[in-house]
Amino acid sequence: MATGKSLFSRFRPQAKDTANSGATSVTNSSNIVSLPADATKVTLSTTPRCYRMMLMGAFAAHPGNGLVISVLRRAQVLRDRGNQVEIVAFPFDARYRHSAQTVAKKWKFGETIRLRNPFAELAGDEYNAKAPSVDPLPAGAGWEIVADPADAKNRRAYENGVYRQFIYSDAKTRVVFIDYLDEKSARFKRSWHDNSGRIIKFEYFNAQNKPVNVEYVHNDGSVHLTAKVNEQGKEHHFELSLPDGRTGFFNTLGSLETWWLINFVFGADIWNPVISEYGFRAAVFEEVAKQRKISVAYALHNLHLTAPYSYGSAIKPELVPFFNDIKKYDAVVALTDEQRLDLVRSLDCSDNVFVIPHHFEPQRYASEKAPHSVVMSSRVVRYKGHFDAVSVWPRIVKEFPDAVLHIYGTGPDLEALRKEVNTAGLESSVLLHGFERDIVRKVSEVEIAIFPSQFEGFALSLIESMAAGTVPVAYDFKYGAQAMIEHGVNGFITERSNAVELADSVIYLMKNPKILKSMSDSSKKIVEKYNARRLGDDWIGLFDELECRFESKTNA
């Protein structure tokens, strides 16, 4: 536990000479934390804690986005420092059990990292416990199940020739839900099933085919939670009746989540450190704090601004309520100094805004790189800049006819991008590979990585590329390019939206292999700055500070 003065700097300045400054500096990997002149060292807490990380969305069996991956890596780092970690995903998810089992196994969570979900726990479901398989398909005399020849995921069940059920399955034919139909083939009910086949939720529909009521099914087969559904599809007016006799009525989902956190998650007598991914549940934690000892650090994972994504641009509408109250939070954690400084200048909130970047650990890389090769690895959406890259690719191919641009990823604009490539006659030099599970190795096989994004939250893929020695050429987007790339040393930063400068930077590197090699060697040093030790020190140091503040406030 931290004692005495706060030793955790709210600013993360670059390393500098402090020999004559009257202050002592302690190197923490990439950062220098400035301490009072009478301080000799920073002592981070070694007392084990239980860190709770609150996700915005549901789990995925194979996490693909940077936010979830960064949370899982952070959990491992804190676990490896002797702490317990619980990762909470709030939404109801029929795939929760399967996703939790898969993630826990793949990421080697063991007993010290636990995944949690309120709907699963209220239903008495523990993902690590074995569940007997149940066949949810109708069977018996008179029933016939017919597969849809156009889509193997869809099946229809007929009872004595009458269409009664529509069955939707995943790619492995596991039943996800079943729609029940009346005599007029109108849907009146839907059952949701977990990966064992067990029914975990019923939805009931009105004559307009809109859900109006839901029932959640306990492991023992009883209905333990009911709710109404409004015209916007939001559940409300929850009634809880657990097998152990506990009951409750909750007007909103937020009040149900608050009750669950108080009664299932947070102990009554201990201080609880919480990391919330974004601030969409700030009101929930505010209510929890009235009954439990918690300090919440809200982690920002993306740009908070709207177009044109520059200082002074409007805040994203969905984030306005959170940022309106930014001064009252225990901590808000940005990923870069640039974002933090934008926040403190525009919102006057320096006392509780910190900077803790993500980290990346070296992986197995290819031993050689293909000459004149370029790569983009990201979700295929227009703001990522794929169309900018394709528009200037002929400029690169004119100089180097053997040049190849490898694009990995999927997204809503993939087919439009494919059409653009085909229309330009670039099929042989711009290769759309789609999703790639071992993306780091693929990136390591390429000489140059381009990042023509309009904005990023942190660009974890930029660190991945640099760690592999793949030299980055990036637009000067907010946020992350300036934090990771030293222009002309380990990559290039070009004017945002200037695709010609981007292309000329690529051409320059291809024409100068010695410079390319030097930049490649320099880019690999990124792992010295964004490593696990630094990440662990920063988060533990932050909560040392927050615990100290909590105790000071409590004892005041």
Side-chain angles (χ1 to χ4, degrees):
M1 181 176 67
T3 58
K5 293 182 180 180
S6 165
L7 300 182
F8 190 87
S9 175
R10 290 191 296 271
F11 294 89
R12 308 311 307 264
Q14 297 297 313
K16 60 183 180 181
D17 181 9
T18 58
N20 300 312
S21 66
T24 300
S25 294
V26 178
T27 302
N28 179 11
S29 187
S30 64
N31 297 301
I32 296 297
V33 181
S34 297
L35 307 181
D38 60 347
T40 58
K41 65 179 179 178
V42 174
T43 302
L44 297 176
S45 171
T46 57
T47 302
R49 294 177 174 139
C50 181
Y51 290 90
R52 271 78 178 218
M53 301 181 187
M54 308 294 178
L55 285 178
M56 179 175 63
F59 297 120
H62 302 286
N65 67 68
L67 187 158
V68 177
I69 290 174
S70 68
V71 170
L72 297 177
R73 288 177 177 169
R74 182 204 301 149
Q76 290 178 319
V77 169
L78 291 174
R79 182 269 314 275
D80 293 343
R81 299 285 282 265
N83 301 286
Q84 296 279 328
V85 180
E86 294 183 351
I87 304 174
V88 179
F90 286 93
F92 167 79
D93 180 10
R95 299 170 180 262
Y96 165 74
R97 168 179 279 270
H98 170 67
S99 297
Q101 289 174 341
T102 303
V103 169
K105 181 179 180 181
K106 178 181 178 182
W107 289 76
K108 300 178 181 179
F109 281 177
E111 299 296 324
T112 50
I113 300 178
R114 180 185 177 193
L115 301 175
R116 305 189 67 172
N117 175 270
F119 289 98
E121 293 189 16
L122 290 174
D125 189 15
E126 171 54 54
Y127 68 89
N128 281 323
K130 292 184 178 180
S133 296
V134 177
D135 186 356
L137 298 178
W143 281 100
E144 180 186 13
I145 299 177
V146 179
D148 187 335
D151 190 341
K153 295 181 180 180
N154 299 334
R155 287 174 284 177
R156 291 170 175 81
Y158 297 83
E159 184 182 27
N160 298 320
V162 180
Y163 181 26
R164 291 295 193 186
Q165 296 182 12
F166 171 81
I167 304 160
Y168 177 77
S169 303
D170 62 15
K172 296 183 178 180
T173 70
R174 181 188 71 82
V175 173
V176 177
F177 64 77
I178 297 177
D179 286 339
Y180 298 80
L181 313 174
D182 61 20
E183 291 76 7
K184 297 181 180 179
S185 297
R187 177 175 60 176
F188 66 90
K189 182 173 70 173
R190 170 178 288 179
S191 60
W192 290 89
H193 302 257
D194 67 10
N195 66 310
S196 71
R198 184 178 67 88
I199 296 174
I200 53 178
K201 178 181 177 180
F202 285 111
E203 286 183 276
Y204 296 89
F205 297 80
N206 61 17
Q208 288 73 45
N209 199 29
K210 298 290 186 180
V212 291
N213 294 291
V214 297
E215 296 176 344
Y216 291 90
V217 182
H218 196 272
N219 270 5
D220 65 8
S222 65
V223 173
H224 68 285
L225 181 65
T226 63
K228 297 179 180 179
V229 183
N230 64 21
E231 293 182 355
Q232 290 73 42
K234 301 293 185 181
E235 295 180 11
H236 62 102
H237 285 81
F238 294 86
E239 289 192 44
L240 179 69
S241 180
L242 295 177
D244 63 9
R246 284 182 290 180
T247 61
F249 178 81
F250 311 95
N251 283 320
T252 66
L253 177 60
S255 59
L256 173 63
E257 292 172 345
T258 299
W259 182 88
W260 176 73
L261 289 169
I262 291 171
N263 289 277
F264 279 71
V265 178
F266 297 122
D269 300 322
I270 62 172
W271 172 78
N272 297 274
V274 178
I275 304 172
S276 176
E277 315 307 325
Y278 291 104
F280 295 108
R281 285 183 172 80
V284 168
F285 295 124
E286 187 174 356
E287 289 300 311
V288 172
K290 295 176 181 179
Q291 299 187 49
R292 294 292 185 263
K293 300 175 181 179
I294 65 172
S295 293
V296 185
Y298 293 98
L300 303 179
H301 285 271
N302 211 329
L303 180 78
H304 61 282
L305 303 171
T306 58
Y309 317 116
S310 303
Y311 184 87
S313 297
I315 292 174
K316 293 178 180 178
E318 66 272 20
L319 296 179
V320 167
F322 174 77
F323 282 108
N324 281 345
D325 291 330
I326 192 170
K327 293 183 181 180
K328 72 179 185 181
Y329 304 132
D330 298 318
V332 175
V333 181
L335 291 168
T336 64
D337 292 300
E338 185 182 7
Q339 186 174 27
R340 181 191 179 276
L341 290 173
D342 282 357
L343 289 172
V344 301
R345 286 184 295 166
S346 60
L347 300 175
D348 189 25
C349 54
S350 60
D351 284 348
N352 64 338
V353 182
F354 302 81
V355 175
I356 302 179
H358 293 321
H359 90 293
F360 174 76
E361 290 301 304
Q363 300 183 29
R364 296 175 61 184
Y365 304 127
S367 58
E368 296 183 2
K369 295 181 179 294
H372 304 155
S373 56
V374 181
V375 66
M376 282 190 71
S377 170
S378 68
R379 189 163 179 257
V380 184
V381 289
R382 287 191 178 270
Y383 76 81
K384 291 286 189 178
H386 297 83
F387 293 87
D388 281 14
V390 170
S391 71
V392 293
W393 188 248
R395 186 183 185 92
I396 297 172
V397 173
K398 182 179 179 181
E399 295 284 341
F400 295 93
D402 64 336
V404 177
L405 171 60
H406 299 273
I407 296 178
Y408 293 96
T410 62
D413 293 321
L414 178 59
E415 291 311 310
L417 181 64
R418 192 185 309 278
K419 182 178 179 180
E420 189 92 354
V421 170
N422 294 342
T423 299
L426 298 173
E427 303 96 322
S428 62
S429 63
V430 178
L431 307 182
L432 306 180
H433 297 282
F435 173 76
E436 170 57 49
R437 185 159 294 173
D438 193 6
I439 187 59
V440 174
R441 182 169 181 82
K442 291 295 184 182
V443 170
S444 73
E445 297 171 351
V446 178
E447 289 184 326
I448 302 165
I450 57 174
F451 299 87
S453 299
Q454 289 298 305
F455 64 90
E456 293 283 351
F458 184 70
L460 191 58
S461 58
L462 179 51
I463 295 180
E464 292 174 343
S465 299
M466 296 177 71
T470 302
V471 178
V473 178
Y475 281 171
D476 190 13
F477 52 75
K478 290 182 179 291
Y479 292 102
Q482 293 189 30
M484 302 174 206
I485 301 173
E486 186 176 355
H487 183 64
V489 175
N490 59 7
F492 285 116
I493 300 176
T494 72
E495 181 184 25
R496 185 152 56 98
S497 299
N498 193 333
V500 171
E501 184 183 0
L502 185 92
D504 286 351
S505 299
V506 171
I507 292 170
Y508 174 80
L509 290 172
M510 290 182 178
K511 285 183 175 180
N512 296 275
K514 289 184 178 180
I515 293 176
L516 177 64
K517 177 62 168 59
S518 175
M519 286 191 174
S520 175
D521 292 340
S522 296
S523 68
K524 293 176 184 178
K525 296 178 182 178
I526 195 76
V527 296
E528 298 173 6
K529 183 177 182 180
Y530 298 105
N531 58 38
R533 182 174 64 84
R534 190 275 312 157
L535 184 84
D537 286 353
D538 281 359
W539 279 109
I540 292 170
L542 171 60
F543 279 103
D544 284 351
E545 166 75 9
L546 295 185
E547 185 177 14
C548 190
R549 291 186 183 186
F550 182 88
E551 291 182 350
S552 296
K553 182 178 179 180
T554 302
N555 296 328

